[in-house]
Amino acid sequence: MKNKTSFLPREGEAQPSRCPDNSAFKQQRLPAWKPQLTIASVLSSFFLTGAFCLTVGVCLVLSANSVREIQVDYSDKCSDCSKLRENSSNWNKECHCSVNFTLKEDILGDVFMYYGLQNFYQNHRRYVRSRSDAQLLGRKVNIQRSNCAPFSTYGNGTPMAPCGAIANSMFNDTIDLFYSHNSSVIQVPLLKTGNSWWTDKNVKFRNPKSYNLSSAFAGTARPPYWQKPVYLLDEEDERNNGYVNDDFIVWMRVSAFATFRNLYRRLRRVRRFAEGLPAGNYTFRISYNFPVTRFKGRKHVILSTVVWSGGSNPFLGIAYLVTGTAATLTGFVITGIHLKLRKKKTYFQRQ
């Protein structure tokens, strides 16, 4: 083993320098742009920013106000079904209710149906983590090692498909829309596919590979709050079943706020509804399955159109208006201070 003194510099030897190399980069001598802030450049930046934000804000607010939207709350009108659903022993009993409303004017163009929930907190940390992305990709995983507990397996060890609190609490009301015309009732054609993001449908969610879905999910069981297994979510369309079901995919994209809406259906523009929804009397027929009374929640259905800026949400436009107003007022304040100081400077120079 070497002596410690062997690492010390000997007499007469030059000690290594710890200074950076004498280069333009390491000595920070490279040419750089140093903006010179003048009153003209500062004021022009504030006023231009204010004008831009005000213009965009006005356009966004006008666009949001042009959206046609009808919102119907059915929490109280379906109170009998709500009381029935609060008792867990009635999980297999069907309950239906109807809500009537009137459109005074035609809603032209594409019409989207949303379901809305109020006071439902999806942003809790344990709730957000309670899922298995590997399982939703169709892979065989050990559910007990996932974050799905306590909604991972039953007491006998049978795994749940899908597992987790998010999937277990999936919204499962069935909502149909009917149009009354000349003493006849016509069911409004609605599309239940094509409502999810392409990346979700083709990348994040996949069914297990098998010759049919029932065999693909053999050995698993539905979540406790579900009324049917995952491979029977859509009994009319085989391609809209399992983990790639649109309603399931939309629900699994959790909301950041306690009040939110999710896309449920789209109007199929055919025959009488080729131009949109005509004015008249309508009825929502609801198969009530999702109880909200225990957490003091509310449920509503929304019929809405969309524009180039999205739906009926003026928040972004208001934010632009506030920013533009603040920038413009700041510009005027700086202008006033500059004129006052320049006046004082001129007065003292004359003295």
Side-chain angles (χ1 to χ4, degrees), residues 108-181:
L108 302 178
D110 294 328
V111 182
F112 299 84
M113 179 189 292
Y114 302 82
Y115 62 84
L117 291 177
Q118 183 177 346
N119 207 35
F120 189 95
Y121 289 86
Q122 286 190 312
N123 55 3
H124 192 279
R125 180 178 59 86
R126 292 183 61 188
Y127 182 88
V128 173
R129 295 182 58 191
S130 185
R131 60 187 292 166
S132 174
D133 292 323
Q135 184 194 46
L136 298 177
L137 283 171
R139 301 172 183 171
K140 292 183 179 181
V141 295
N142 188 353
I143 301 301
Q144 294 182 347
R145 295 182 180 180
S146 66
N147 296 321
C148 292
F151 301 102
S152 55
T153 59
Y154 285 94
N156 58 1
T158 304
M160 299 180 188
C163 69
I166 306 176
N168 183 60
S169 61
M170 176 181 169
F171 182 86
N172 56 353
D173 283 0
T174 302
I175 306 172
D176 295 316
L177 181 61
F178 292 86
Y179 172 57
S180 301
H181 179 70

Side-chain angles (χ1 to χ4, degrees), residues 2 10 12 58 79 89 133 159 226 236 262-263 271 288 310 330:
K2 293 184 179 180
R10 299 178 181 178
V58 170
S79 57
S89 61
D133 292 323
W226 285 27
E236 299 176 357
N262 284 336
L263 182 59
R271 298 186 295 276
Y288 198 104
T330 304

Side-chain angles (χ1 to χ4, degrees), residues 154 158-162 217-224 229-230:
Y154 285 94
T158 304
M160 299 180 188
F217 290 98
T220 63
R222 59 176 176 82
V230 65

Side-chain angles (χ1 to χ4, degrees), residues 299-312:
K299 294 193 295 186
H300 43 269
V301 190
I302 305 103
L303 294 175
S304 176
T305 60
V306 294
V307 291
W308 62 271
S309 60
S312 177

Side-chain angles (χ1 to χ4, degrees), residues 166-211:
I166 306 176
N168 183 60
S169 61
M170 176 181 169
F171 182 86
N172 56 353
D173 283 0
T174 302
I175 306 172
D176 295 316
L177 181 61
F178 292 86
Y179 172 57
S180 301
H181 179 70
N182 295 334
S183 68
S184 62
V185 179
I186 305 172
Q187 184 171 2
V188 179
L190 300 173
L191 296 172
K192 53 186 174 181
T193 57
N195 300 325
S196 59
W197 295 353
W198 184 91
T199 52
D200 289 342
K201 191 84 171 181
N202 297 275
V203 179
K204 296 182 179 180
F205 294 83
R206 295 175 185 171
N207 285 324
K209 294 182 179 180
S210 182
Y211 61 91

